[in-house]
Amino acid sequence: MAASGFCLEPGDDVREVREWVHAFARDVIRPAGAEWDEREETPWPIIQEAAKIGLYSLDFFAQQWFEESGLGIPVAFEELFWGDAGIGLSIVGTCLAAAALAANGTPEQAGRWLPEMFGTPQEPRLGAFCASEPDAGSDIGAIRTRAVYDSGDWVLDGVKTWVTNGGIADVHIVVASVDPALGVRGQASFLVPPGTPGLSMGQKFRKHGIRASHTAEVVLDGVRVPGDCLLGGKERLDQRLARARAGERTGEQAALRTFETTRPAVAAMAVGIARAAYEYARDYAGEREQFGRKIGENQAVAFLLAEMATRIEAARLLTWRAAWLARSGRPFDNAEGSMAKLVAGETAVWVTEQAIQILGGAGYTRDHPVERFHRDAKIFTIFEGTSEIQRLIISRAVTGLPVR
């Protein structure tokens, strides 16, 4: 499929990947979803199984990321999260750190450190992207973590929070301020190699959903890294800071640049959860009988299922188009990445809630997975930019005004 024109049907290669990932999600991930949700632990055995077959690997994710149509990652992620969101995020969580490295680093840095993030089939490893802080969530310009240049090294101090794989990853990518007076424009990304003194895990969070994915604070106390761990290099940083101090547009924002590239992928995760809940509710409505007939024969239920299916399809198409635009090198002129994440995230929350409603009291118990799907879905209106932030980004894009 040529990237020159958007196509609504994935090519043969993407369909094969979808079937392969779906089989792994169906046979390995989904049967283990409830167990690891209860355990609230990183599902290392499943990550290892994924690594053995090449699903958790730099080669696989890079191949899908650069797939010609742009649909490789959305299709694969939808299937993984159809299996289970918490386990799915444990498998793909490293990709956010990898995207940050690819977006902000030099080719040499990417070639050196991307393999370190994934490890080998025998010994898989993890990466972590550290941006949010206790007082800097949506307001990424309020980051307080400092990076100070000292005798050719950089010294990092601060606390990061809500970090996927935080503290247990082998490679951490940390967004820090090098010139606080410049706000977002004074930030840069730094790579912290495995075993660097001063980096430790703080609080591990017990979460409402995606509980099989590890989320924790990362504490940086005098973390000293070599100068070549500044992503993009010091010369580029110095040039960018000089332009910012002169009041010129720099076009580079370390954290925001990463989030913009990953929004279609995050949207695909939400679509996967929504689809899982819809299919479960649809099948339940076709089997459950009340008042002498299947509950799916009642318009109240049938119309609800129709609305669920329609919203999922719309979210998927927004996601695919945003992914295609990104892969084709086209700009998000109308914030299409944010549109995809906004619609997909809110669709996932709504669809999973309706799935519980269709199952009634049974849907509210852990005997059925829809309550877990609902808990997992909520994060998609919060992380990597809340729904409110997505609306802000979209409104600025479509009006051309500095909406606040």
Side-chain angles (χ1 to χ4, degrees), residues 67-354:
E67 191 276 326
E68 187 178 12
S69 70
L71 302 184
I73 286 290
V75 165
F77 281 20
E78 178 180 333
E79 296 304 327
L80 286 171
F81 281 70
W82 172 89
D84 179 74
I87 295 174
L89 192 56
S90 289
I91 292 174
V92 308
T94 294
C95 291
L96 183 58
L101 176 52
N104 298 290
T106 65
E108 293 75 19
Q109 289 171 325
R112 167 68 179 87
W113 290 107
L114 283 174
E116 291 285 334
M117 290 185 178
F118 290 91
T120 66
Q122 296 74 32
E123 188 178 347
R125 298 179 180 178
L126 301 174
F129 179 62
C130 311
S132 295
E133 297 183 2
D135 295 318
S138 295
D139 184 9
I140 206 74
I143 283 177
R144 295 182 180 178
T145 296
R146 287 296 312 275
V148 177
Y149 192 62
D150 179 44
S151 302
D153 294 337
W154 289 92
V155 181
L156 281 66
D157 288 280
V159 177
K160 294 295 184 179
T161 194
W162 316 121
V163 181
T164 299
N165 298 334
I168 66 171
D170 296 272
V171 178
H172 291 74
I173 303 293
V174 178
V175 179
S177 176
V178 295
D179 189 337
L182 296 176
V184 174
R185 295 184 299 168
Q187 296 171 2
S189 293
F190 298 84
L191 187 146
V192 182
T196 301
L199 185 148
S200 62
M201 186 177 80
Q203 176 188 3
K204 178 184 175 182
F205 295 103
R206 302 188 65 187
K207 305 189 297 295
H208 178 65
I210 56 168
R211 300 198 303 195
S213 173
H214 175 96
T215 309
E217 291 180 327
V218 172
V219 179
L220 303 141
D221 184 8
V223 173
R224 181 177 290 269
V225 298
D228 60 7
C229 286
L230 165 63
L231 297 191
K234 193 170 186 301
E235 182 178 355
R236 192 171 85 181
L237 173 64
D238 288 342
Q239 292 173 352
R240 177 161 58 86
L241 293 178
R243 294 198 303 272
R245 290 166 185 149
E248 300 175 13
R249 294 180 64 87
T250 63
E252 293 185 46
Q253 298 173 343
L256 299 182
R257 187 175 179 184
T258 300
F259 291 141
E260 185 68 10
T261 61
T262 60
R263 281 183 184 128
V266 175
M269 301 174 191
V271 171
I273 299 171
R275 190 182 112 217
Y278 157 71
E279 291 177 358
Y280 196 92
R282 177 200 62 198
D283 294 347
Y284 184 89
E287 297 171 0
R288 172 71 166 167
E289 292 190 5
Q290 289 287 277
F291 305 106
R293 62 182 178 182
K294 311 291 187 186
I295 65 171
E297 296 179 42
N298 297 315
Q299 280 192 3
V301 174
F303 283 10
L304 188 53
L305 288 167
E307 182 73 13
M308 293 160 76
T310 301
R311 292 197 189 190
I312 292 168
E313 197 70 27
R316 181 184 293 113
L317 291 175
L318 276 173
T319 299
W320 283 11
R321 183 168 185 271
W324 171 77
L325 286 171
R327 179 65 186 94
S328 303
R330 291 166 167 81
F332 288 161
D333 290 331
N334 290 309
E336 287 87 352
S338 290
M339 287 181 177
K341 183 186 181 296
L342 172 65
V343 171
E346 299 208 338
T347 294
V349 172
W350 184 83
V351 168
T352 53
E353 181 176 3
Q354 305 317 309

